[in-house]
């Protein structure tokens, strides 16, 4: 006999992810979670800051197994890259998992970059998490997403922004707990597989 979730759980998920109900076909094939509909990720967002970790809020469900993280560049390609890694953090910004370092591998414009987690992570409890990205380069890529309102993005839990951790390079430099997030207007498309 199949197990069904109570209607209240479905209602809660619909509130947290309303685009899934009204935007059929927007879930990226093969992904288990994503930060927004790919059909709304049309903005060419401001470039990242080299050597800093940026975070984006995401909802994850208990039991989901995360093996890789994908970000999507926009119109500016990365140039003279020295380090590139993504991370998964809990709602308190504690590091749960980090990807391999893609070092100086090119990241062209309008291209998905998927990096495997060094060790796959299974979500222990449903809730909000953060997906991070750190690029060290002379030119960091712009990313696909949507422009929000900084004041709204700053309401707890902070939707996304830049940490004050600087000088990051390899995954070994990923802070055990990221510093405070400064909210920005950027909402970045990220998919987890």
């Amino acid at each position: 006999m199949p197990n069904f979730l109570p209607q209240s759980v479905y209602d809660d998920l619909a509130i947290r992810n309303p685009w899934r109900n009204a935007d059929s076909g927007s879930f990226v094939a093969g992904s288990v979670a994503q930060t927004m509909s790919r059909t709304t990720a049309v903005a060419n967002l401001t470039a990242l800051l080299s050597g800093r970790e940026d975070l984006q809020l995401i909802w994850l469900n208990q039991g989901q197994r995360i093996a890789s993280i994908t970000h999507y560049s926009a119109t500016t390609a990365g140039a003279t890259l020295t380090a590139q890694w993504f991370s998964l953090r809990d709602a308190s910004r504690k590091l749960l998992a980090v990807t391999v370092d893609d070092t100086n591998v090119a990241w062209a414009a309008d291209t998905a970059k998927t990096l495997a987690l060094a060790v796959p992570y299974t979500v222990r409890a449903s809730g909000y998490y953060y997906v991070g990205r750190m690029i060290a380069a002379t030119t960091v890529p712009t990313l696909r997403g949507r422009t929000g309102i900084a004041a709204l993005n700053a309401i707890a839990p902070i939707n996304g922004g830049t940490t004050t951790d600087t000088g990051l390079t390899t995954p070994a430099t990923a802070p055990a707990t990221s510093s405070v997030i400064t909210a920005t207007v950027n909402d970045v498309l990220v998919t987890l597989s």
Side-chain angles (χ1 to χ4, degrees):
M1 184 156 162
N3 294 326
F4 294 99
L5 296 173
Q7 184 61 43
S8 61
V9 173
Y10 289 107
D11 293 342
D12 186 53
L13 290 173
I15 290 167
R16 294 179 194 282
N17 300 297
W19 56 267
R20 288 188 189 166
N21 296 330
D23 196 4
S24 63
S26 64
F27 211 70
V28 175
S31 65
V32 297
Q34 62 190 61
T35 56
M36 69 182 68
S37 165
R38 65 182 171 176
T39 60
T40 61
V42 296
N44 179 34
L45 300 175
T46 308
L48 305 168
L49 297 172
S50 180
R52 279 198 156 158
E53 187 177 21
D54 289 283
L55 301 176
Q56 182 67 48
L57 193 68
I58 191 168
W59 179 268
L60 298 177
N61 293 312
Q62 181 179 6
Q64 288 178 315
R65 184 176 183 274
I66 312 300
S68 64
I69 300 173
T70 303
H71 283 79
Y72 301 83
S73 65
T75 60
T76 302
T80 318
L81 299 153
T82 57
Q84 308 170 69
W85 48 265
F86 306 146
S87 66
L88 181 63
R89 296 180 176 277
D90 69 14
S92 300
R93 303 180 313 278
K94 291 180 184 167
L95 186 64
L96 300 172
V98 66
T99 67
V100 297
D101 188 356
D102 215 21
T103 62
N104 61 355
V105 176
W107 191 354
D110 294 312
T111 304
K113 179 166 284 262
T114 301
L115 299 179
L117 291 175
V119 176
Y121 180 79
T122 300
V123 178
R124 294 182 182 162
S126 296
Y128 286 114
Y129 291 80
Y130 283 104
V131 182
R133 63 207 151 271
M134 196 300 301
I135 311 297
T138 56
T139 302
V140 291
T142 54
L143 297 176
R144 283 285 166 209
R146 65 179 173 229
T147 303
I149 298 170
L152 293 178
N153 282 353
I155 296 171
I158 293 174
N159 203 44
T162 303
T163 69
T164 55
D165 301 309
T166 60
L168 302 178
T169 55
T170 66
T173 66
T177 301
S178 286
S179 64
V180 176
I181 306 168
T182 301
T184 65
V185 298
N186 294 339
D187 292 324
V188 177
L189 172 61
V190 183
T191 57
L192 306 180
S193 301

